[in-house]
Amino acid sequence: MDGSIDRTLDALGPRLKRLRQRRDLSLTDLASETGISVSTLSRLESGLRRPTLEQLLPLARAHGLTIDELVDAPPTGNPRINLRPIPSGDGSVILPLTRRPGGIQAYKIVKPAGDDNAEPELRTHEGYDWVYVLNGTLRLVLAEHDLLLKAGEAAEFDTRTPHWFGATSDGPVEFLSLFGRQGERAHLRAAPRDPKASAADD
């Protein structure tokens, strides 16, 4: 499996370059869309650097693709959903739960144990994010706020706010993420009350 992962990541650079050129974009144009610097994009395309999860997400959004489509992961038997985990260069694994480009996309993400003493590299990009922790502890840094989310806790934020998320040194973290384009949010809707029940209360 490691060999397959390496081949997929090694082929990603030329694929990223083809996707950009197909859209007739310069590196500067793509940097403006993704919030990733021109020098980093150039190194990714040349294969001198492997992408992190935080880089794959805005790249997928910019090209109107899901992450599995961006990295050209082999399809599974289900034509609607590709459940093949996608590794990232930082040791994270992303499991896409939706396939449609654009709109809100859902992912299950597992991040390995982190270093509590490491200084997070905050990023910004267009979009809106909703996260729900399944297992472990998620460290979420939002501008000057440094939060620890436990299993069962959720957060939502505008990704134009400088942010970073990862696991703590206590162990890996597993969470769900909903990513939307700018202005799109995850809305919770409660079931309407039964009118008969309301009358009975009166």
Side-chain angles (χ1 to χ4, degrees):
M1 181 175 177
D2 289 342
S4 176
I5 291 173
D6 287 339
R7 287 192 296 273
T8 297
L9 291 175
D10 288 343
L12 184 55
R15 177 169 173 76
L16 289 174
K17 186 172 184 177
R18 288 195 301 271
L19 288 169
R20 176 177 61 81
Q21 291 177 336
R22 190 179 303 161
R23 295 179 58 213
D24 197 25
L25 292 177
S26 67
L27 285 171
T28 302
D29 294 332
L30 189 57
S32 178
E33 282 193 36
T34 61
I36 302 172
S37 70
V38 170
S39 60
T40 297
L41 289 172
S42 178
R43 289 173 63 83
L44 290 174
E45 289 187 0
S46 63
L48 297 176
R49 179 170 177 173
R50 286 187 170 182
T52 64
L53 172 63
E54 286 78 10
Q55 292 163 345
L56 286 174
L57 291 171
L59 283 168
R61 275 194 293 269
H63 293 304
L65 301 172
T66 59
I67 289 184
D68 57 326
E69 291 168 335
L70 180 71
V71 302
D72 198 25
T76 61
N78 189 327
R80 295 181 297 110
I81 300 177
N82 188 344
L83 294 179
R84 180 179 293 276
I86 302 168
S88 181
D90 63 354
S92 301
V93 176
I94 311 112
L95 185 68
L97 303 177
T98 56
R99 285 190 59 85
R100 67 185 181 94
I104 292 179
Q105 299 182 27
Y107 301 93
K108 178 179 177 181
I109 300 171
V110 180
K111 281 187 162 287
D115 180 357
D116 294 339
N117 296 319
E119 187 67 24
E121 182 181 346
L122 276 61
R123 300 177 181 276
T124 62
H125 52 84
E126 295 293 323
Y128 206 88
D129 196 350
W130 180 90
V131 296
Y132 177 83
V133 182
L134 296 171
N135 291 295
T137 299
L138 178 68
R139 182 184 176 195
L140 173 62
V141 180
L142 289 173
E144 70 276 12
H145 303 289
D146 197 333
L147 310 171
L148 293 178
L149 303 179
K150 304 290 187 180
E153 294 185 318
E156 57 178 328
F157 58 94
D158 189 322
T159 54
R160 290 173 297 182
T161 303
H163 64 279
W164 174 92
F165 48 82
T168 67
S169 59
D170 290 338
V173 63
E174 181 180 3
F175 60 100
L176 298 176
S177 286
L178 297 181
F179 298 94
R181 294 173 301 191
Q182 183 178 358
E184 291 182 336
R185 299 179 53 171
H187 294 281
L188 301 179
R189 178 175 296 177
R193 290 189 66 185
D194 186 341
K196 294 179 181 178
S198 299
D201 292 339
D202 299 338

